[in-house]
Amino acid sequence: MQRSKTWIGAATAVVLLGGLLAGCSSGNKNGNNAQASQSAAPTASASASASASPTASADDKSPIKISWFVDQDYYKKNWDPVNNLLDKMITDDTGISIDFSSGTPEKLSALIASGDIPDVVTVDKGNPQRGVLEKSGLVSPLDELIQKYDPSFDVPKSMQDWFRNADGHFYGYASFFWAKEKFKEGDSIRSNQGLYARKDIMDQLGIKPEDFNTKEGMVAALRKVKDAKVQYNGFTVTPAYFESWVIGGFFGAPREDASGNLVDRERTPEMLEAYKFLNQLYKEGLMPEDSQTLDQDQLKEKVANGSVFAITNKNLDWSALYQKDPKALFVHVGPVVGDAGNKPYVDPVNASGWTLTMVNAKTKYPDRIIKLLDYLSTDEMSLNVNYGPKGAAWDFDENGKVKLSDEFNALNAEDPNKAKNKYGNGTLQWLINWTPIQRTAPVPVTADAIAKDENALFFAKLTYDMLPFESITPLGGTDEGGINAKVEENRKKWRAKMILAKSEADVEKYFNDEVDTEAKLGYQKLYDYQNKQFQDAKKALGLQFAWPANQK
């Protein structure tokens, strides 16, 4: 699924490029700063034996094998402590070997129906199987296991509260969760959205980053690219591929009103302004018709072959282009501001993470498993999981930043798959925290890595706490879920009609027609559900208001 590929892309990008977070997404937990990690972070073996168990001694490393199911069918991992250094580290430190299996959520449903699930189960937090597991009695409350077997297991309170079930328990540990109470100075939630343009073409045509601060300036800059008929690699460069929701965010489309109610930003004046603006770009030949039809892989190919000047989606990674032409560098520009002069915002990666890892209520090894989860969730193990074992794949430099070993770099350059098979980097991300990785990321060296670091830091200043907004999407199989699917499909159609409209008057007409169509689809029932979820989330987080403009 797309989210899983994005997270893995993020982890891989850090290893290959020495940059910071490069994908969706991406998770923060209990992170020390880099210097403290060297002296204060638990060692692997110490973390695995943090506390005594009623059924096993604190340092029990007797060999056991556990089964672990992951509901991502792309995931394939064979435990190999003989040849894989990460697997060897984990087995040596804990005595545990893992028999991984994977499959679709439907396969997990079949396991649940049989009443016989593996010792550990990892499920996408948004999949309905998560709720079924929590209510079935097949998995143990994680808080009870921690209290009984490993009281020093420091699960962030915000994670516990966010995933707490109606019965008062929480049942899983989240990967890539951003726990704000664990943040240190300099930590930030990054975004996969922004505004980026080719520096080589900007220099060629005399375009400056600040030209993109206004709609008029951006149009003028894009016209220069079109009028110059810039050729690159046999292609005429297309001025822009922009997403409407990113432009609407730059224009300050709100997500909460002054009374604290959820706002559907798709229906705001700022989004109408965004559609009119993108329609202007289309009518002037600055953004092509296929901007509404190409999928992400096709857009990535266009960026990689050098035929695009400006984009709003950081996931359209330009590394392949840079590797062929180091002058073809994307840098941050703008951001463009709307007519009202509202503060611009970009959506951060999901603060509530990706997957939840749960423990079978009938496992023979609850004590060993809970200590394994504790061990895997520590800051240094997040680094080990991302890069491979410390000492072999990496170590801290004098500034507390990760420095990849010469041996790792050489093998990774020769064959990334060989490096992964040897070091295990990026193969066990189910309890990973991104903050310690982001905080200690290798110092960027190449111009591309430096630019990506600067881009990420620039747009991180425009993010907001999206956690209160992340519970509003209804689960599949519910009435609200069905309405939501129809509404989203409807919006794709109307979005294209607005951007490709013949006139500004048609844009406004289609904008209103979209609202009328959605009313017939049951929109009000969906909104009432979403607003209630939003209010419940704010209450759980102790917030009166969630949107930054309302928090003054």
Side-chain angles (χ1 to χ4, degrees), residues 60 82 89 217 280 469 492 517:
D60 184 4
V82 174
M89 168 185 273
Q280 177 189 352
F469 301 94
K492 291 179 184 177
T517 302

Side-chain angles (χ1 to χ4, degrees), residues 77-92 388-389 417-425 427:
K77 180 173 176 61
N78 295 316
W79 199 254
D80 184 9
V82 174
N83 300 298
N84 185 294
L85 294 176
L86 178 68
D87 296 354
K88 182 179 189 304
M89 168 185 273
I90 293 171
T91 296
D92 286 350
N417 286 325
K418 284 184 179 179
K420 190 178 294 287
N421 288 335
K422 178 177 179 178
Y423 293 99
N425 49 294
T427 64

